[in-house]
Amino acid sequence: MQMTLRWYGSKFDTVTLKQIRQIPGVTGVISTLYDSVPGEAWEMEDILNLKKEIEAAGLKLVGIESVNIHDAIKVGTPDRDKYIDNYILTLERLGQADIHMVCYNFMPVFDWTRTELARMRPDGSTVLAYTQEAIDKLNPEEMFASIAGDVNGSILPGWEPERMARVKELFEIYKDVDDEKLFENLKYFLERIMPVCDKYDINMAIHPDDPAWSVFGLPRIIINKENIHRMMKMVDNPHNGVTFCSGSYGTNLQNDLPDMIRSLKGRIHFAHVRNLKFNSPTDFEESAHLSSDGTFDMYEIMLALYDIGFTGPIRPDHGRMIWDEVAMPGYGLYDRALGATYLNGLWEAIEKSHK
Ligand code: DNO
């Protein structure tokens, strides 16, 4: 595996490449053109500039998270091909720039959902948290307003203010889209992009829906083992794979994470590894990565990745806000650096004990 950190680019991130370079064992970053608009083709020059900046800091641009998908593609409107053509152009350019992993999601309207961005834990750290009760009480605009004060001046992926301003209209365009339709539209998209992925050896890594169930009545399909296997079978190509995100699949305690990993041998193209602490089945918070701080057995998760011969990029995921850091919720430096170091430690121990 290759340990990486997500980096939003020098215009948007409080964390610098120099800091990332100093985390032991982190050799690459996962980045994106954060101000790109879904549906537009990325310019070659912008891709190369991003790559150059990262390489100048002594790191490698290991993959993209995310190239976002235009709503027309998810809804399946008649103009979707134009946006898929642009997506293909972006993939072609990424391939030409020697970038071979793209993380994306197929969640309608929002990306991930949390009901609190700064829940205080007993040690004084603050974390992202979710309660179903809060979701059931609020509509999306109310929820956005309730978390907006805690963003620390950052723009949260999938929760951009321009998008929130159109939230009613977005719900309207998804009104006839159910799970089956979403699967169909995902299949159409994947079938169209696979030839370019084959040509440039680009691994597509779909990110799970987070939380792994329907929110605000919207369909959500990338939520469990059965559905991921359905997705991979419907377009059976090794480039059609997944981002295994323990914190997202793990929101549903029915998901057996090590078992899911073992069933995905050869198709996990990217791993996000983090822990959650459940206070009840419908209330969880994002704990430190350490097993004993949360609910998951992180050793078993890393062991499962080891057992399937995982060699792809991995990153610690959301960190707690600690040591008075002010950063995008979940994406500060300190706790993610601790997470990377802990995951590297587990990996080293697993490797050595298997020799
Ligand atoms: C949350 C992230 C997601 C993820 C996208 C992938 O912190 O894991 O925003 O990047 O869903 O497209």
Side-chain angles (χ1 to χ4, degrees):
M1 59 114 173
Q2 178 173 20
M3 187 56 72
T4 65
L5 216 72
R6 185 179 194 179
W7 183 65
Y8 286 97
S10 38
K11 264 202 287 184
F12 299 98
D13 212 311
T14 53
V15 180
T16 65
L17 289 170
K18 183 176 170 198
Q19 289 167 326
I20 296 175
R21 175 77 178 83
Q22 292 171 349
I23 308 170
V26 173
T27 54
V29 298
I30 301 291
S31 193
T32 186
L33 298 179
Y34 199 41
D35 44 7
S36 62
V37 177
E40 281 180 2
W42 290 14
E43 295 301 331
M44 192 63 182
E45 196 190 341
D46 297 335
I47 298 170
L48 292 177
N49 284 341
L50 178 71
K51 196 175 165 204
K52 243 191 263 156
E53 189 183 1
I54 291 167
E55 287 173 358
L59 292 157
K60 188 171 185 295
L61 175 56
V62 178
I64 301 295
E65 177 179 357
S66 314
V67 181
N68 282 322
I69 309 234
H70 194 276
D71 291 299
I73 300 173
K74 297 184 208 169
V75 174
T77 54
D79 58 347
R80 67 177 150 180
D81 281 309
K82 155 175 111 194
Y83 297 109
I84 300 179
D85 290 343
N86 283 346
Y87 206 97
I88 290 172
L89 256 180
T90 301
L91 291 177
E92 226 159 38
R93 290 175 183 156
L94 289 171
Q96 286 159 3
D98 203 19
I99 296 163
H100 301 282
M101 192 286 292
V102 171
C103 170
Y104 69 104
N105 72 76
F106 221 70
M107 288 178 253
V109 185
F110 313 104
D111 198 317
W112 54 274
T113 305
R114 290 291 169 274
T115 53
E116 288 156 76
L117 300 180
R119 180 186 289 182
M120 178 87 77
R121 299 191 81 217
D123 61 5
S125 61
T126 61
V127 295
L128 289 81
Y130 182 95
T131 55
Q132 191 58 40
E133 293 72 15
I135 292 279
D136 294 343
K137 263 197 277 186
L138 300 173
N139 66 38
E141 286 126 311
E142 287 166 338
M143 209 197 87
F144 182 63
S146 80
I147 60 174
D150 292 326
V151 297
N152 294 338
S154 54
I155 303 164
L156 298 173
W159 289 84
E160 298 81 4
E162 317 79 78
R163 222 176 143 69
M164 284 306 107
R166 295 175 47 225
V167 78
K168 278 213 178 84
E169 179 198 329
L170 285 169
F171 267 80
E172 186 59 23
I173 64 173
Y174 278 98
K175 77 175 184 319
D176 296 325
V177 181
D178 58 10
D179 286 7
E180 285 309 307
K181 188 87 195 133
L182 204 56
F183 263 119
E184 224 175 84
N185 296 341
L186 176 57
K187 178 165 189 271
Y188 183 91
F189 167 71
L190 286 169
E191 278 172 345
R192 283 220 48 212
I193 65 165
M194 279 301 121
V196 75
C197 295
D198 289 338
K199 180 163 175 204
Y200 291 99
D201 189 23
I202 296 177
N203 284 329
M204 294 301 295
I206 196 165
H207 190 279
D209 304 348
D210 186 356
W213 55 78
S214 163
V215 285
F216 301 120
L218 293 164
R220 301 272 227 173
I221 54 175
I222 308 301
I223 54 173
N224 55 27
K225 182 171 165 185
E226 185 191 338
N227 285 18
I228 333 171
H229 282 274
R230 173 173 173 187
M231 186 227 43
M232 289 188 309
K233 252 187 238 120
M234 77 189 185
V235 181
D236 198 6
N237 180 318
H239 290 120
N240 172 26
V242 308
T243 298
F244 191 85
C245 177
S246 62
S248 302
Y249 286 121
T251 56
N252 183 344
L253 290 167
Q254 306 299 315
N255 283 332
D256 175 342
L257 302 173
D259 171 66
M260 286 173 87
I261 293 171
R262 289 198 170 84
S263 80
L264 290 165
K265 188 174 161 85
R267 299 293 274 269
I268 299 182
H269 296 322
F270 186 24
H272 290 179
V273 182
R274 66 179 154 95
N275 203 348
L276 296 176
K277 167 127 183 67
F278 280 81
N279 300 307
S280 81
T282 55
D283 177 309
F284 60 81
E285 56 201 41
E286 299 183 352
S287 65
H289 287 71
L290 190 75
S291 302
S292 60
D293 198 50
T295 297
F296 306 151
D297 187 330
M298 304 304 282
Y299 167 78
E300 289 296 340
I301 290 172
M302 294 302 279
L303 180 64
L305 286 169
Y306 179 88
D307 285 346
I308 61 165
F310 178 68
T311 55
I314 181 171
R315 66 171 181 82
D317 209 349
H318 303 174
R320 302 161 304 146
M321 225 31 87
I322 57 172
W323 302 340
D324 301 322
E325 186 173 17
V326 178
M328 181 192 294
Y331 286 99
L333 171 66
Y334 306 140
D335 201 42
R336 285 189 302 149
L338 292 176
T341 304
Y342 169 64
L343 298 177
N344 271 332
L346 285 175
W347 193 263
E348 181 180 340
I350 292 168
E351 257 185 338
K352 289 189 173 159
S353 64
H354 281 75
K355 276 200 180 124

